[in-house]
């Protein structure tokens, strides 16, 4: 409901200075960062000054994580120490594992039950399986991350003081090692719980991604070792996602053309026909902004990472890879690509995985991911949808309609196919994106702690509500005015409620008899 603004209203604060109204912070800079540089016109992406192509070809995920967090590539001695610390902080507390086992087998592996966290430190409180069945079918990963804070009170600024990390770099680094080390473990636990298998313990002597694949897939085999080429492919994907900060947006007519670009913030207003989503560390996306926003209160990093992960799971933030897969499945075969693109140009359907809000050239990550896709297909076999994807890319890049609008394949176009070919269910995709992003979130968290003029984030609003009005007693309020909000709640359709509604009974509990 809207209220007219009058110059005499006490709510009018224009005399206090200029205030910019920028919905969704589309053009508001709230932080100075040295982590990532992007030039969308030229298709350039740098992590701390290093081209993403060079890092993907020559580096490893853990080395890139060190670069993002500490600002420089490590020396051999520094990397050996960093890798040792991360890989020796991979075991999860048994109580944490027990908590994750209480969720329904079909709980989504990503979303958390944040309200359980305050109960965990109290040994007198137990969480029964019956209790968790009353909750929506949600997952385990964020719950595990949030719960970690209850096991490390020495790293809780609410208990140890707001300057605990700035005054003691060792405590800060300890939490970085723990979060990087345990994220794959919690993700693997969530996956194993989902498929009804016991969790595997981390193994020494394996790389970061090899260890993750081991915890996912090992059954009872002796000396099980994941395929090194698959592990390397996953490592490259982790590098590309390490700094990913998806920028939200909305359906809008973009680049002065009649072709809309889907930018993942308002499904309700969907109408254009070309869909693209950003997913790299160019400035503050929803989840990274959440990390810095939550962290600005000086909360512990586990709560902040859990909040960032929850933001990542939202359908307006993630979901691009899944949308690409659904689109390819709908096309069905390479022979149908031509007619599909005709429908796109006629604005009768939508094209996912093409175009980019920042890149006006070929997404540099898409070139890398395309090669990784072929490497993975050579190992595990071609995903049936790959022929459709290849023909769709070829046809779109040969069509002036799309090329003139700078609609090139983005990283989402290929990464979902890779994960699907590797055997991951689509509801595991957000977890796979969250694991490598932990390093990017931690880089921003550490950077924010080092800001000399750091303040708690507190955006302002433009008040558009009613002016001052007097309270009216309930008995004197009129019925049925248009201004009254609709707060109707639908009736339950559960079978036992239907039966109970026609039963006879007395108020009170049957246990009182």
């Amino acid at each position: 409901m809207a209220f007219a603004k009058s110059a005499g209203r006490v709510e009018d604060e224009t005399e206090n200075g200029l205030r910019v109204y920028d919905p969704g912070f589309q053009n508001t800079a709230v932080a100075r960062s040295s982590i990532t540089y992007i030039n969308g016109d030229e298709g350039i992406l740098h992590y701390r000054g290093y081209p993403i192509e060079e890092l993907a070809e020559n580096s490893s995920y853990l080395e890139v994580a060190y670069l993002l967090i500490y600002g420089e590539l490590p020396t051999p001695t520094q990397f050996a120490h960093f890798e040792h610390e991360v890989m020796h902080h991979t075991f999860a507390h048994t109580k944490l594992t027990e908590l994750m086992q209480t969720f329904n087998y079909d709980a989504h592996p990503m979303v958390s039950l944040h309200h359980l966290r305050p109960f965990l430190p109290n040994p007198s409180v137990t969480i029964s399986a019956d209790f968790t069945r009353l909750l929506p079918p949600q997952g385990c990963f964020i719950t595990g991350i949030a719960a970690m804070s209850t096991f490390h009170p020495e790293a809780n600024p609410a208990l140890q003081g707001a300057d605990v990390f700035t005054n003691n770099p060792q405590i800060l680094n300890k939490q970085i090692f723990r979060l990087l080390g345990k994220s794959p473990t919690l993700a693997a636990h969530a996956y194993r719980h989902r498929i009804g298998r016991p969790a595997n313990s981390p193994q020494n002597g394996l790389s970061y991604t090899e260890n993750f694949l081991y915890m996912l897939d090992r059954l009872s085999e002796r000396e099980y070792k994941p395929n090194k080429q698959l592990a390397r492919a996953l490592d490259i994907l982790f590098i590309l996602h390490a700094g990913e900060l998806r920028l939200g947006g909305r359906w809008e007519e973009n680049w002065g053309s009649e072709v809309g670009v889907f930018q993942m913030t308002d499904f309700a207003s969907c109408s254009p026909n070309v869909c693209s989503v950003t997913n790299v560390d160019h400035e503050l996306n929803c989840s990274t902004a959440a990390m810095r926003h939550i962290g600005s209160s000086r909360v512990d990093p586990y709560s902040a990472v859990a909040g960032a992960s929850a933001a990542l799971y939202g359908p307006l933030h993630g979901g691009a890879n899944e949308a690409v897969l659904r689109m390819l499945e709908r096309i069905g075969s390479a022979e149908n690509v031509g007619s599909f693109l005709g429908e796109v140009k006629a604005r009768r359907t939508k094209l996912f995985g093409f175009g980019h809000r920042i890149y006006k050239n070929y997404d540099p990550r898409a070139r890398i991911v395309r090669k990784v896709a072929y490497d993975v297909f050579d190992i595990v076999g071609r995903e049936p949808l790959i022929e459709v994807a290849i023909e769709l890319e070829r046809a779109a890049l040969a069509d002036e309609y799309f090329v003139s609008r700078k609609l090139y394949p983005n990283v989402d176009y290929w990464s979902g196919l890779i994960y699907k070919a590797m055997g991951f269910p689509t509801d595991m995709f957000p977890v796979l994106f969250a694991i490598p992003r932990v390093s990017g979130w931690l880089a921003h968290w550490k950077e924010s702690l080092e800001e000399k003029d750091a303040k708690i984030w507190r955006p302002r609003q433009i008040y558009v509500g009613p002016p001052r009005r007097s309270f009216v007693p309930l008995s004197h309020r009129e019925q049925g005015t248009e201004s009254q909000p609709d707060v109707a709640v639908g009736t339950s359709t559960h079978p036992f409620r239907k039966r109970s509604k026609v039963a006879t009974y007395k108020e009170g509990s049957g246990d009182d008899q």
Side-chain angles (χ1 to χ4, degrees), residues 60-62 79 83 86-87 90 181 184 202-215 225-236 238:
S60 67
Y61 169 69
L62 279 186
F79 181 70
E83 183 180 39
V86 170
M87 298 307 296
T90 52
Q203 296 295 302
N204 293 329
L206 298 177
S207 72
Y208 192 81
T209 49
E210 284 177 335
N211 192 48
F212 179 50
L213 291 173
Y214 173 92
M215 291 187 289
K225 292 184 179 180
N227 182 282
K228 287 187 174 295
Q229 291 174 289
L230 281 185
R232 175 55 185 164
L234 190 60
D235 204 61
I236 293 174
F238 278 14

Side-chain angles (χ1 to χ4, degrees), residues 19-297:
R19 184 172 299 169
V20 177
Y21 177 55
D22 184 17
F25 308 113
Q26 298 291 305
N27 196 37
T28 298
V30 294
R32 296 166 59 91
S33 179
S34 61
I35 298 172
T36 300
Y37 168 74
I38 180 172
N39 184 322
D41 292 333
E42 301 297 328
I44 294 173
L45 172 63
H46 294 170
Y47 287 175
R48 300 282 192 180
Y50 294 94
I52 187 64
E53 296 87 349
E54 293 185 17
L55 293 174
E57 181 178 355
N58 302 306
S59 190
S60 67
Y61 169 69
L62 279 186
E63 190 175 33
V64 170
Y66 185 101
L67 170 67
L68 289 170
I69 295 169
Y70 298 105
E72 298 290 344
L73 287 172
T75 66
T77 301
Q78 289 172 329
F79 181 70
H81 173 74
F82 180 74
E83 183 180 39
H84 177 273
E85 290 298 324
V86 170
M87 298 307 296
H88 282 75
H89 283 85
T90 52
F91 275 82
H93 196 286
T94 55
K95 292 296 183 182
L96 190 55
T97 303
E98 291 174 6
L99 168 66
M100 298 177 75
Q101 293 299 318
T102 64
F103 302 137
N104 269 4
Y105 73 93
D106 59 353
H108 194 286
M110 182 65 173
V111 188
S112 109
L113 307 171
H114 295 283
H115 55 279
L116 296 181
R117 184 170 64 85
F119 297 102
L120 294 175
N122 188 341
S124 65
V125 175
T126 60
I127 303 174
S128 69
D130 290 336
F131 175 71
T132 59
R133 288 193 190 101
L134 300 176
L135 302 169
Q138 299 173 333
C140 307
F141 179 75
I142 305 172
T143 302
I145 294 293
M148 284 175 63
S149 67
T150 66
F151 295 95
H152 306 295
E154 77 284 357
N156 190 337
L159 302 176
Q160 306 300 332
D163 298 328
V164 62
F165 297 121
T166 55
N167 292 339
N168 194 329
Q170 289 184 331
I171 292 181
L172 181 144
N173 288 330
K174 185 78 168 180
Q175 313 326 307
I176 291 174
F177 299 149
R178 283 170 171 163
L179 278 162
L180 290 176
K182 298 185 195 308
S183 294
T185 304
L186 297 180
H189 283 4
Y191 176 78
R192 298 283 291 194
H193 179 63
R194 185 64 182 271
I195 63 176
R197 294 175 181 171
N200 285 318
S201 297
Q203 296 295 302
N204 293 329
L206 298 177
S207 72
Y208 192 81
T209 49
E210 284 177 335
N211 192 48
F212 179 50
L213 291 173
Y214 173 92
M215 291 187 289
L216 288 173
D217 300 330
R218 187 253 178 186
L219 293 176
S220 60
E221 303 91 342
R222 297 178 57 188
E223 300 183 9
Y224 182 92
K225 292 184 179 180
N227 182 282
K228 287 187 174 295
Q229 291 174 289
L230 281 185
R232 175 55 185 164
L234 190 60
D235 204 61
I236 293 174
L237 289 174
F238 278 14
I239 290 173
L240 298 178
H241 291 116
E244 278 195 9
L245 307 181
R246 290 178 181 257
L247 291 169
R250 62 184 180 276
W251 283 99
E252 62 185 13
E253 296 299 320
N254 203 7
W255 309 322
S257 75
E258 74 277 14
V259 179
V261 179
F262 182 52
Q263 295 176 334
M264 293 295 256
T265 61
D266 190 1
F267 282 107
S269 61
C270 292
S271 60
N273 62 324
V274 180
C275 308
S276 75
V277 184
T278 63
N279 71 343
V280 69
D281 181 19
H282 33 68
E283 304 182 5
L284 300 178
N285 70 341
C286 179
S287 58
T288 304
M291 181 73 186
R292 294 191 77 135
H293 197 146
I294 297 171
S296 72
S297 73

